[in-house]
């Protein structure tokens, strides 16, 4: 499993304790910020303390070390402090390292502040995922109104 925007480590710990322990495997936590100590020291967690686009080689190396290198990761989570369109770019960046049929669990956050603009940004994100391409990653702005939604698979279906 790959957890994008992992710090402080809530999703990472959930994956390591609930999914990975039962099914085997390892969680690769990607975030330049520090993980909580109990997460960072977990035997089934590796921390790539870099921005996603700077850590792809390290993520690829860790996937190979933990047995997912040939097929790719089955699960990716993203609870990063990004606008929805930036989350889409993160998923597209990591897509080559995912297995066919991989599942993505994503929390989309309202950084635009107004509901119509947030909906527009979600539409941009879905268009990017549907097209399979997006411009380079950029920085997200501040935090406003976390809105958890979305189930996405590599084939870009949503419910």
């Amino acid at each position: 499993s790959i957890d994008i925007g992992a710090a402080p480590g809530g999703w990472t710990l959930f994956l390591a304790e609930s999914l990975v322990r039962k099914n085997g495997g390892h969680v690769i936590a990607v975030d330049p910020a520090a993980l909580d100590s109990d997460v960072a020291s977990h035997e089934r967690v590796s921390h790539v303390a870099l921005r996603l686009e700077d850590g792809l080689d390290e993520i690829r190396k860790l996937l190979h070390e933990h047995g997912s290198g040939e097929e790719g990761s089955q699960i990716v989570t993203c609870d990063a402090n990004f606008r929805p369109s930036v989350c889409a770019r993160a998923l597209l960046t990591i897509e080559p390292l995912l297995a066919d049929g991989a599942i993505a669990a994503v929390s989309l956050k309202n950084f635009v502040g107004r509901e119509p603009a947030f909906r527009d940004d979600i539409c941009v994100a879905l268009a990017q995922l549907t097209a399979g391409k997006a411009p380079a990653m950029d920085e997200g702005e501040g935090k406003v109104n976390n809105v958890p939604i979305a189930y996405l698979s590599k084939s870009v279906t949503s419910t």
Side-chain angles (χ1 to χ4, degrees):
S1 299
I2 300 169
D3 184 14
I4 302 168
W11 272 106
T12 302
L13 190 59
F14 171 78
L15 289 168
E17 293 291 324
S18 300
L19 300 175
V20 171
R21 183 188 305 176
K22 292 176 186 171
N23 301 315
H26 200 79
V27 180
I28 301 168
V30 184
D31 199 307
L35 297 175
D36 287 344
S37 60
D38 60 329
V39 179
S41 63
H42 197 286
E43 66 182 337
R44 295 194 180 269
V45 173
S46 294
H47 183 204
V48 176
L50 298 167
R51 290 171 45 124
L52 176 63
E53 61 273 22
D54 298 327
L56 291 174
D57 289 338
E58 180 69 15
I59 295 166
R60 188 175 289 108
K61 179 180 136 210
L62 288 165
L63 284 170
H64 282 287
E65 284 178 15
H66 296 286
S68 299
E70 294 302 316
E71 63 184 48
S73 179
Q74 296 289 329
I75 299 171
V76 61
T77 59
C78 182
D79 189 34
N81 290 322
F82 298 151
R83 295 184 327 269
S85 57
V86 178
C87 283
R89 282 178 264 193
L91 292 174
L92 292 168
T93 298
I94 202 75
E95 189 269 339
L97 303 180
L98 300 178
D100 287 338
I103 295 172
V106 182
S107 296
L108 300 181
K109 299 175 183 184
N110 185 355
F111 287 95
V112 295
R114 298 179 332 274
E115 188 174 327
F118 181 53
R119 280 195 310 258
D120 290 347
D121 199 53
I122 291 173
C123 290
V124 168
L126 292 174
Q128 289 171 338
L129 291 169
T130 301
K133 60 185 177 191
M137 294 276 291
D138 67 356
E139 294 288 332
E141 286 89 42
K143 241 198 241 191
V144 183
N145 302 332
N146 292 341
V147 180
I149 62 172
Y151 162 87
L152 301 171
S153 74
K154 188 174 177 183
S155 62
V156 194
T157 57
S158 64
T159 61

